[in-house]
Amino acid sequence: MSKLFYRKQVRRSIIAILTSIVIAVGTGSYSPHVSFAPSLNRQHLHLHIGWHQAHALATSGGRASGGSFGSSSESGSSSSGSSSGGSSGSSSGGSSYNYSDDSSSDSYSSGGSNSQSDAITGIFILLLFGGSLLVALLVKIQELIERLRHPQAYRRQQAQIRSKLAIYKEVEQQYEEQTNTIVTVTQVQVALRASAREVQERFNEISTEYDWGTPAGLHEALQETALTLLRSPEAWTHVSTTSKTILTRERAKQYFDTLSMEERSKFAVESLVNVGGNVRRRTISTKDDGPADYIVATLIVGTADDQPLFETIHTAEELSRVLKQLGAIAPNYLMVYEMLWSPQDSSDSLTYEELLLNYPHMLQIC
């Protein structure tokens, strides 16, 4: 056991002993005289308790998304008691007492016996917590003896206790993050040279290969997307990232949908779409401008984190670290994920002018 535990035990025991003494002395020095006597004019005391509580371009795009923010609602209920007076000394929903300074032959008086029982109760509580204090002191003495006899074993034991406490705190923090309504919405955009056709082809496969309608499939799709980008660092040219924490799931969903609509509006045609496992394909007419110059990949993620995942990034090293972080998100933290890429078809084109026009916020990677 840790030192903090014993200190708390001793402190609690001392407080309990002092409280018990105060109770024992206080209850013995005051006891109200209460008499219950028949009366035609009884005073009814009723207790009521209630509970308050942009530009159209000849480019195609692909999109795959899945997951849900879920919903959280709170409901409350209220209840109240009612009472009504009866006739000739009867009552409902409460108790009636007649407090009198005079005692009669047919009245019942309560006084000394209650004081004795309260004093006995206080003494019992005092003995109980005194015994707890004695046990805590004996355990502390035994710990000191073991510490002197086996110092290495004692240090190992304390290290194990600290490790278990750290694990417990981490689990508790994760539980609190998952059960509250705070959501972090993250967007990562990467522009790659069109020579990285394998990235384009792999995105087409990811959009149909995984089950975007299940949490497990969604998590696998995010991991594979991050890995695909990490395997082609030489093709990265521009980057743009944002990570924002939102206090409610309703506002987070609205912000997520706004980001998605903004990016989708940059596509003249969505030639491949997979939303929650429903795949739609559309044939497009290709351009004769030659091969594409750039490919832009956009990842929009909603997680149960209580703080932004990262700050604005500028270098390839920072982008690599962010992609690894996204790929390592725990399945129970991932709420929703959407992947967009343009152009979707390898015969389509995204020129440098189109890149500047549609993605003016992207920064060249240092």
Side-chain angles (χ1 to χ4, degrees), residues 43-47 93-97 99:
Q43 296 178 355
H44 298 278
L45 306 177
H46 301 286
L47 177 63
S95 303
S96 62
Y97 300 97
Y99 292 90

Side-chain angles (χ1 to χ4, degrees), residues 43-93:
Q43 296 178 355
H44 298 278
L45 306 177
H46 301 286
L47 177 63
H48 298 274
I49 301 177
W51 293 94
H52 299 290
Q53 330 241 355
H55 295 277
L57 302 173
T59 60
S60 67
R63 177 168 65 101
S65 64
S68 172
F69 286 104
S71 61
S72 61
S73 61
E74 297 180 358
S75 61
S77 61
S78 62
S79 61
S80 61
S82 62
S83 62
S84 61
S87 62
S88 182
S90 64
S91 64
S92 173

Side-chain angles (χ1 to χ4, degrees), residues 159-236:
Q160 293 175 356
I161 294 175
R162 287 192 294 269
S163 177
K164 292 180 180 179
L165 288 175
I167 294 174
Y168 172 77
K169 289 181 180 180
E170 182 179 358
V171 172
E172 184 180 20
Q173 181 181 4
Q174 291 179 357
Y175 176 78
E176 291 177 353
E177 288 183 343
Q178 296 171 34
T179 54
N180 62 27
T181 60
I182 300 177
V183 179
T184 296
V185 179
T186 300
Q187 177 178 272
V188 176
Q189 287 186 301
V190 183
L192 306 94
R193 296 184 181 89
S195 57
R197 289 297 177 183
E198 66 279 0
V199 173
Q200 197 174 21
E201 295 172 358
R202 184 55 184 153
F203 279 4
N204 293 333
E205 295 173 354
I206 293 173
S207 64
T208 57
E209 180 178 335
Y210 296 97
D211 187 357
W212 290 73
T214 63
L218 204 65
H219 181 252
E220 292 176 352
L222 176 58
Q223 280 191 327
E224 190 60 30
T225 306
L227 285 172
T228 301
L229 292 172
L230 284 169
R231 292 181 180 127
S232 301
E234 71 285 349
W236 301 343

